[in-house]
Amino acid sequence: PRVHSKPTKSQNKKRKKKLVSSGLQFHHESIRNNWNPKETLRQNYKRLGLAYDVDECIKNAQAHKELKGAITQELTKVQKAPKAAKYIPKSMAVDEQRILITLKKKHGDDYKKMARDIKINIYQKTASELRQRMELFNHLQSL
């Protein structure tokens, strides 16, 4: 039995073929579309506005700010895009409404006392959770 056998010729061919065919694969669409296979990795990164050597970019902080490429332009567009509006629930469970009303009657606006009241606050909500739920409850009442 061979313990340390060399790979056969066919195994070497398959391995080399796999290495050559794999190449560079990018999952980000804009990098894939703007990549120039005739340029080196460093040239492509510079053209796209990406950092090849992070240490070098940190040393030359001004040079890093001046980099403009397809990727950096696309990222600035994404950052400047309007954000989606914050979701506000349109309803609340009747049981939770009942609990909030009784806590409000007993403790007023003292959320710390509400949080410590384990007889009414059966779900052991914290003061900040109770404050948020009370704000939502008041918002829903005003609609």
Side-chain angles (χ1 to χ4, degrees), residues 11-126:
Q11 288 173 333
N12 276 335
K13 281 182 182 179
K14 285 180 185 177
R15 185 176 51 83
K16 285 179 183 177
K17 187 177 179 182
K18 196 175 192 181
L19 286 172
V20 170
S21 67
S22 67
L24 289 172
Q25 295 178 353
F26 298 104
H27 298 291
H28 196 275
E29 186 179 334
S30 56
I31 293 177
R32 194 178 324 123
N33 294 338
N34 293 305
W35 191 262
N36 185 355
K38 293 181 180 177
E39 291 182 354
T40 64
L41 183 70
R42 191 179 289 255
Q43 290 169 340
N44 271 306
Y45 271 33
K46 187 173 185 178
R47 189 174 44 77
L48 293 172
L50 300 173
Y52 178 78
D53 186 7
V54 178
D55 294 330
E56 187 179 304
C57 281
I58 291 172
K59 288 177 186 173
N60 306 328
Q62 249 178 344
H64 180 65
K65 289 179 185 175
E66 294 172 4
L67 288 176
K68 296 289 179 195
I71 302 302
T72 52
Q73 290 170 358
E74 192 173 310
L75 288 174
T76 53
K77 285 180 189 175
V78 169
Q79 286 177 338
K80 290 179 181 177
K83 304 283 188 271
K86 186 179 175 186
Y87 173 73
I88 299 173
K90 294 171 180 58
S91 64
M92 184 183 281
V94 178
D95 184 44
E96 188 174 5
Q97 289 179 14
R98 181 186 53 77
I99 290 170
L100 289 174
I101 290 169
T102 52
L103 284 170
K104 180 90 169 170
K105 283 180 185 175
K106 187 171 181 182
H107 302 290
D109 288 331
D110 193 353
Y111 296 105
K112 287 184 179 179
K113 284 185 180 178
M114 288 182 195
R116 288 192 299 259
D117 189 348
I118 59 171
K119 289 186 178 178
I120 302 171
N121 183 13
I122 57 172
Y123 297 115
Q124 298 285 295
K125 293 201 182 277
T126 63

